[in-house]
Amino acid sequence: QDDHEPTPVGSNRYLHAKAVVLEPIDTGAGTGMVRMESEQWRATTEGEVIEAGAPVRVVGITGSRLVVTEEEPA
């Protein structure tokens, strides 16, 4: 039973999840909103501005904001 990864709980369950940008994510301006499944979340990024409509992946959680990175095109 101890050979498996523990199930993430709390906000950690969103790590590595995919989302779509609803409002451009601009850390400098303090803006950014994503939709993940049926929920909307405030988001930030450690990189460049991410425009609305872009697919992103959750790489961390800071307070009540998801930290995301833009997905590479397939």
Side-chain angles (χ1 to χ4, degrees):
Q1 287 182 334
D2 294 337
D3 292 341
H4 69 282
E5 291 287 322
T7 303
V9 295
S11 59
N12 286 332
R13 69 184 178 271
Y14 298 122
L15 284 174
H16 311 293
K18 293 182 180 182
V20 175
V21 178
L22 298 176
E23 172 185 283
I25 302 171
D26 184 341
T27 303
T31 62
M33 182 76 72
V34 298
R35 176 178 298 280
M36 186 172 40
E37 297 177 4
S38 63
E39 298 180 357
Q40 292 183 14
W41 285 81
R42 289 271 169 215
T44 187
T45 185
E46 295 173 348
E48 300 292 320
V49 173
I50 302 175
E51 297 298 331
V56 293
R57 181 172 298 274
V58 178
V59 295
I61 293 98
T62 301
S64 62
R65 290 181 185 253
L66 301 177
V67 180
V68 300
T69 186
E70 194 164 7
E71 284 279 271
E72 296 295 323

